[in-house]
Amino acid sequence: MLRMRIDIAELAGNLLLFFLVFGMSATVDISRMKEQLTNRKAILTGIFLQFVILPSLGFVVVNALNMNHAMGITLLVVTSSPGGSYSNWWCSMFNADLALSVTMTAIST
């Protein structure tokens, strides 16, 4: 019985996260996303930061803090796979360029 409650809670959490991400992405106009694809400076800066700087910083932190294998690998995985729903959520919260964030998420996926 307890396992069934956990499964229902997990399913409800996943559904809520899906609708949150879908709702934010649905507010972005397709023409704004296409416009962002031509913004080479922003796209190249984002790609450089997401795929070079962030994983490098994760590697430096793992080595500097002398983390155990499980924590170190976890941090490296998180810093090597940026973007996604949380970046879109933060952009929405702080009134940043949500179209650029959704475009970067689409490119990095």
Side-chain angles (χ1 to χ4, degrees), residues 14-69:
N14 288 337
L15 282 172
L16 288 172
L17 181 60
F18 170 78
F19 285 117
L20 173 73
V21 173
F22 180 77
M24 277 189 296
S25 298
T27 63
V28 176
D29 188 25
I30 297 294
S31 63
R32 288 276 298 134
M33 283 185 66
K34 287 180 183 176
E35 184 181 307
Q36 289 299 335
L37 286 172
T38 61
N39 189 355
R40 292 188 193 274
K41 184 177 179 182
I43 296 294
L44 292 175
T45 301
I47 288 172
F48 178 72
L49 290 171
Q50 283 187 341
F51 295 110
V52 177
I53 299 299
L54 193 58
S56 299
L57 286 174
F59 180 76
V60 167
V61 168
V62 167
N63 286 324
L65 298 179
N66 199 20
M67 293 182 163
N68 65 36
H69 293 297

Side-chain angles (χ1 to χ4, degrees), residues 3-19:
R3 180 69 184 150
M4 189 170 143
R5 285 186 198 163
I6 292 171
D7 289 342
I8 291 172
E10 185 176 342
L11 177 64
N14 288 337
L15 282 172
L16 288 172
L17 181 60
F18 170 78
F19 285 117

